[in-house]
Amino acid sequence: MSRKTIIAGNWKMNKTAGEARELARELSAAVDKLSQKDLPQIVLCPTFTSLPAVTTTLTGNKKLAVGAQNMDYRDNGAFTGEISAPMLLDLGVQYILIGHSERRQFFGETDLTVNQKLKAALKHKLVPIVCVGESLDEREGNLTDKVVAKQVAGALQDIAEQELESLIIAYEPVWAIGTGKSCDSEEANRVCGLIRTTINEYYKTSGKPGDKVPVLYGGSVTPANCEEQLAKPNIDGSLVGGASLKAPDFVAIIEAGAKRVARTPQVV
Ligand code: PGA
């Protein structure tokens, strides 16, 4: 049995609730027409304000789940402007992006906040998609492996091996996000493998928990490059930004995910 295939769309700060509902409807109708047998797990991550519109549109749809792009690690309190895990669960949200590079770059998120949010997600049974990846300077300074391993180990601080069951990691090199320059698929495959090895080394147990963790690639994923990426053994899915905003492009990426599912029996 191999790891689950996941195709996630990060809509970032785009679309009003009405526009988001429309895109969710379009995607749901297009996915209905695909062969249901080999569908990957699909996750749509709209803005907070569009979550009710999208969760309502997709009610009862098992293949299209909804994720949020961020949350606070605390449940409630005097934290103006923040949203908590119980509030997201209440809307029917099932997945949560944690530590996206734009959150790290523009909103001061660190390995510590990523760790706090990951603990909160696991406690509340939201499925976490933890994002890691190096900047251009770090890549050019040959620091990729060190930076990615540090981010992964930082996220996992004080989390027990048994809690990792639902964990998903996304390798998103910062220089590849929104630039049109996706990472070479062989190199992306190597770093996704390194992420898994880092998890195994962190826990140092015979259980090798890293081998069970789906690792997605993200950064300028398009219909043209996703198939090659998804053919690599260490890449279990795609985290898609720009191309997830256009239904035909995202559906093409879902179809590439379906080919991976057809090749590899999935865990449920
Ligand atoms: P991109 O974004 O596909 O537009 O590069 C990916 C992401 O930030 O998750």
Side-chain angles (χ1 to χ4, degrees):
M1 277 297 182
S2 69
R3 294 172 296 266
K4 208 170 177 172
T5 304
I6 299 141
I7 306 292
N10 174 10
W11 294 0
K12 309 195 180 184
M13 196 173 75
N14 293 293
K15 302 207 177 284
T16 61
E19 290 164 350
R21 183 183 295 111
E22 205 35 57
L23 180 55
R25 267 198 202 127
E26 227 181 302
L27 288 169
S28 169
V31 167
D32 272 352
K33 292 196 192 111
L34 303 177
S35 156
Q36 301 298 296
K37 190 168 70 73
D38 296 327
L39 278 183
Q41 176 63 60
I42 305 159
V43 184
L44 308 181
C45 303
T47 62
F48 288 136
T49 52
S50 294
L51 286 171
V54 175
T55 51
T56 316
T57 305
L58 301 177
T59 302
N61 190 327
K62 284 214 174 64
K63 279 297 173 183
L64 274 88
V66 180
Q69 299 172 17
N70 180 36
M71 67 172 189
D72 197 278
Y73 66 92
R74 295 158 289 213
D75 288 358
N76 50 45
F79 304 106
T80 303
E82 292 299 289
I83 305 264
S84 71
M87 294 167 190
L88 296 173
L89 288 166
D90 184 46
L91 292 176
V93 170
Q94 292 172 275
Y95 288 76
I96 180 77
L97 296 182
I98 297 177
H100 187 280
S101 67
E102 286 151 17
R103 300 287 325 162
R104 294 181 193 251
Q105 202 178 340
F106 304 126
F107 301 98
E109 296 217 10
T110 61
D111 290 345
L112 173 64
T113 58
V114 168
N115 175 248
Q116 288 167 320
K117 291 177 185 199
L118 178 55
K119 284 178 183 157
L122 295 170
K123 174 176 134 199
H124 289 289
K125 308 228 175 303
L126 277 168
V127 180
I129 305 179
V130 174
C131 305
V132 298
E134 80 288 357
S135 67
L136 186 58
D137 278 357
E138 289 161 344
R139 172 155 288 265
E140 286 175 347
N142 281 326
L143 294 170
T144 299
D145 294 12
K146 207 172 154 199
V147 167
V148 170
K150 181 177 165 289
Q151 289 176 344
V152 171
L156 296 174
Q157 284 299 311
D158 301 321
I159 292 175
E161 181 180 342
Q162 310 79 262
E163 291 181 273
L164 293 186
E165 260 175 29
S166 67
L167 177 68
I168 299 168
I169 304 236
Y171 169 53
E172 296 208 307
V174 180
W175 50 269
I177 295 177
T179 58
K181 283 188 224 147
S182 85
C183 183
D184 169 72
S185 57
E186 201 52 64
E187 172 62 3
N189 181 60
R190 187 190 71 79
V191 181
C192 290
L194 168 93
I195 289 172
R196 232 170 249 122
T197 315
T198 304
I199 300 172
N200 286 337
E201 280 169 5
Y202 182 85
Y203 288 97
K204 293 192 184 70
T205 59
S206 57
K208 296 210 166 171
D211 294 3
K212 297 176 202 132
V213 173
V215 181
L216 320 182
Y217 166 75
S220 296
V221 174
T222 64
N225 62 25
C226 62
E227 213 164 312
E228 185 181 323
Q229 292 155 4
L230 290 166
K232 300 289 176 204
N234 287 323
I235 302 179
D236 301 313
S238 315
L239 178 53
V240 189
S244 72
L245 294 168
K246 292 178 224 118
D249 285 4
F250 196 55
V251 172
I253 298 169
I254 292 168
E255 287 185 282
K259 286 190 191 161
R260 183 182 184 277
V261 176
R263 278 194 307 269
T264 50
Q266 302 287 289
V267 287
V268 266

